[in-house]
Amino acid sequence: MEEKNFFDKVYEVAQQIPYGRVTSYGAIAKYLGAARSARMVGWAMNNSLTKDVPAHRVVNRVGLLTGKQHFDGTNLMQQLLENEGIQVENNQIIDFQKHFWDPGKELESFY
DNA sequence: GAATTGACGTTCT
DNA sequence: AAGAACGCCAATT
């Protein structure tokens, strides 16, 4: 009953993404124990668009703003990332690995 | 109610 | 090594 669905878990992880950092769908999925459910993360983001989840900080594993087409504006997602100090060009994040935030790594490093 | 799609990533051939 | 197929869960048609 209290088992949260995959989606709910994704929301929580996405909300934990720090400012100026980005992550990938696969990273979140892997953190939840379902590396092959990366697609579901994307679906969750689609639902999270109406929530307080910074979906603009989540991109695919190449750092490509694949879901930018789901945002209102055309470059809204890109502008949000640039606003946080992340360099984006051609819908792709520059130094993606540099701004990468792995939940299964950063969070576990706390303890 | 069943079949298909969907912000991806891994695994097999 | 490169390309194709599969897998995951939920929502939509």
Side-chain angles (χ1 to χ4, degrees):
Chain A
M1 283 189 273
E2 279 138 39
E3 280 285 316
K4 292 184 180 176
N5 290 339
F6 201 94
F7 275 42
D8 294 327
K9 293 180 185 172
V10 175
Y11 300 148
E12 291 193 29
V13 176
Q15 288 176 4
Q16 290 170 44
I17 302 176
Y19 179 90
R21 284 286 167 80
V22 285
T23 187
S24 63
Y25 308 98
I28 299 175
K30 205 167 216 178
Y31 175 68
L32 300 178
R36 311 172 114 173
S37 315
R39 295 175 106 183
M40 288 20 301
V41 179
W43 265 115
M45 294 275 109
N46 204 358
N47 284 274
S48 72
L49 284 172
T50 59
K51 304 179 188 309
D52 297 327
V53 179
H56 63 273
R57 291 182 188 158
V58 184
V59 295
N60 68 359
R61 72 173 187 87
V62 241
L64 193 67
L65 281 59
T66 51
K68 94 167 218 167
Q69 67 174 328
H70 291 270
F71 283 77
D72 286 340
T74 322
N75 332 347
L76 178 62
M77 187 174 184
Q78 178 171 341
Q79 291 188 15
L80 286 170
L81 291 171
E82 288 183 336
N83 188 23
E84 296 189 357
I86 300 175
Q87 299 171 311
V88 180
E89 185 168 321
N90 194 14
N91 299 335
Q92 187 173 5
I93 298 178
I94 302 177
D95 295 326
F96 172 61
Q97 206 175 57
K98 192 162 148 187
H99 297 286
F100 188 64
W101 179 79
D102 192 335
K105 189 175 183 181
E106 303 290 326
L107 293 179
E108 284 185 48
S109 296
F110 266 97
Y111 74 99

